[in-house]
Amino acid sequence: MQVDVMTTPQPLREIGDLARRTQAAHFSGMLFTETGRTAYLNAAVAAQAAPGLEFSTGVAVAFPRSPFVTAATAWELQEATGGKFRLGLGTQVRTHVVRRYGVEFEHPGPRLRDYVLAVKACFAAFRTGTLDHHGDFYDLDFITPQWSPGPIEAPDPKVDVAAVNPWMLRMAGEVADGIHVHPLGEPGYIARQVLPKLAEGAAKSGRSPEDIAVIVPVMTIVGDTDSERHRERELVRASMSFYGSTPNYAFIWDEAGFEGTTARIREKQKAGDIAGMAAQISDEHLAVFATESTWDGLADALIARYGGAATRMVLYNALADPERIERYGAVAQRISGGQSR
C-alpha cells in the first residue's frame, strides 16, 4: 500500500519546495485537488522539483475541459514524470459546473463514463494516429500528426474517477483504472458499497477487481496527549460537516448509523451557522469516520482500518501543519514499507 499526501494547489513558486519536502519525508506521492487553482500546473512544477514522487489529480474537474484537452495534458505529464502520473477525474456538482464553469451537467454519471472512454481513445490515437470514439456525449474522429503529441515511452496514464453512489462505483469498476473514495468513506462504507460495486463493474468488462486501484483519503487526529489532539479533532469535525452537507452523501452517514446528519447540517448551513454545522458532527461520528491515535500507534491504526481495502492511502491533513510533515512521513514509511508493529 502506497501512502500519498493530499494538497490543494499552491502558488507555482511555492509548490516546488513543498514537493521536495514531501519527497524528503519519504511519501510515495502527491495528490492534487482542484479548487481555485488547477491541479495540472501544480503537478507539472512539483514533478520537476521532486522526480522521485508519483503524482495524481484527485480530482480534476472533467466536463469544463474537452476529453482531448484533458488527454493531451495527462499525456505530457506522464511523459514528464516517466510514467508516474495518474489522471483522476470527477464531475463536481451541478452549481459549480453550470454556474462557475458554464458547461452542461445533464446525466453526469453516463457523461463521465463516456468521458473516460473518450480520453482513453485519445491516448490510443496519440500512439496510432487514428482517433475513433463515438459515445452518447462525445464524438471524436479527427487527428493529424501536427495536432498529436505523438507516442511516448511511458505507458498510457491510468485514469481514475471519483465515485460515491452505487451506480458510479459500478461504472468505475467497468471503465476506469482506479476509484477515488470520498473523504467520508469510512471502512464500513468501503466494505458495504465500494468493493462490491467495483467488483460488479469489473465483472461486466471482464476484468479482475484487483486491476482497479482503490485510492482512499483518510482523516487523522494524532498526538501524544489529548490537548495535542483537540485542535485536530475540531478541524476534522469542520471538514466532515462541509462534506456532509451534500445531499448525495447523506446515505453514507445513514448507513453508518447516523441517520439525518446531512439534514441537520444543511439546516445550520442555510442559517449561515458554520459553527453549528460542525457541532452536528459528534465525537461518535469522529470515531467512525476518522482515525485518532498517538504518533507511535498511527501506522498500526491506519493499517487495521484500511489495509485490506486501500491500494493507495492518502493522508488528508498531513500538510495542515508543515512542522509535522516529517512525522507523518515516518508513519507513511512504516505503512508502505510494511514496518508496522
Side-chain angles (χ1 to χ4, degrees):
M1 180 166 52
Q2 302 301 304
V3 184
D4 303 330
V5 293
M6 177 182 288
T7 182
T8 57
Q10 307 294 312
L12 295 181
R13 71 176 69 90
E14 299 175 10
I15 196 60
D17 181 62
L18 181 59
R20 284 187 287 269
R21 292 191 65 194
T22 301
Q23 180 171 285
H26 303 290
F27 284 95
S28 304
M30 300 182 76
L31 180 145
F32 293 96
T33 64
E34 186 161 77
T35 51
R37 299 176 185 270
T38 66
Y40 296 116
L41 285 175
N42 260 235
V45 174
Q48 297 304 301
L53 294 175
E54 299 176 49
F55 301 92
S56 58
T57 54
V59 292
V61 183
F63 303 150
R65 302 177 175 98
S66 80
F68 192 99
V69 168
T70 292
T73 303
W75 200 250
E76 290 186 65
L77 284 166
Q78 181 76 331
E79 181 181 41
T81 61
K84 296 179 180 178
F85 176 72
R86 298 187 74 101
L87 173 63
L89 297 170
T91 64
Q92 245 297 352
V93 297
R94 180 183 296 274
T95 298
H96 282 278
V97 172
V98 175
R99 297 176 56 192
R100 181 157 69 97
Y101 290 114
V103 295
E104 293 183 4
F105 190 73
E106 300 305 316
H107 310 293
R111 185 183 294 272
L112 185 61
R113 180 185 185 278
D114 193 26
Y115 194 102
V116 169
L117 294 174
V119 165
K120 292 189 172 187
C122 290
F123 291 161
F126 299 158
R127 295 193 188 278
T128 66
T130 300
L131 179 57
D132 186 24
H133 174 80
H134 301 283
D136 294 334
F137 300 91
Y138 300 99
D139 281 296
L140 307 174
D141 60 10
F142 179 76
I143 192 171
T144 65
Q146 182 181 5
W147 300 109
S148 171
I152 59 177
E153 292 184 5
D156 293 1
K158 300 295 186 183
V159 183
D160 310 317
V161 298
V164 176
N165 68 48
W167 190 96
M168 290 286 280
L169 292 167
R170 281 190 292 268
M171 181 272 285
E174 181 188 0
V175 304
D177 299 303
I179 170 75
H180 286 272
V181 176
H182 193 272
L184 294 181
E186 50 89 23
Y189 163 76
I190 294 172
R192 289 187 302 268
Q193 295 287 353
V194 175
L195 298 181
K197 298 304 185 290
L198 281 180
E200 290 175 22
K204 188 174 180 180
S205 59
R207 297 193 296 168
S208 167
E210 284 71 32
D211 294 335
I212 304 156
V214 180
I215 303 164
V216 182
V218 297
M219 296 188 188
T220 55
I221 300 166
V222 60
D224 290 331
T225 67
D226 190 67
S227 61
E228 288 180 90
R229 296 192 293 271
H230 175 73
R231 178 176 176 273
E232 283 198 349
R233 198 177 291 125
E234 299 314 304
L235 291 172
V236 168
R237 202 185 307 272
S239 295
M240 287 187 181
S241 71
F242 166 75
Y243 286 120
S245 67
T246 302
N248 287 348
Y249 308 154
F251 78 98
I252 301 179
W253 300 115
D254 294 347
E255 287 186 354
F258 301 101
E259 293 187 14
T261 296
T262 293
R264 292 191 294 273
I265 293 173
R266 287 179 64 79
E267 182 180 355
K268 299 298 183 181
Q269 183 182 50
K270 291 174 183 177
D273 184 0
I274 303 301
M277 291 173 61
Q280 305 313 305
I281 305 301
S282 67
D283 288 349
E284 288 72 24
H285 283 87
L286 295 180
V288 173
F289 288 89
T291 302
E292 182 165 343
S293 175
T294 61
W295 281 107
D296 190 56
L298 184 57
D300 285 333
L302 289 171
I303 289 173
R305 287 171 65 87
Y306 300 101
T311 306
R312 302 190 76 94
M313 182 184 297
V314 184
L315 297 184
Y316 180 91
N317 47 348
L319 299 181
D321 182 350
E323 299 306 315
R324 304 204 301 176
I325 185 173
E326 289 80 10
R327 298 199 75 175
Y328 271 111
V331 173
Q333 273 189 287
R334 287 178 58 194
I335 295 171
S336 60
Q339 298 173 7
S340 176
R341 64 177 189 270

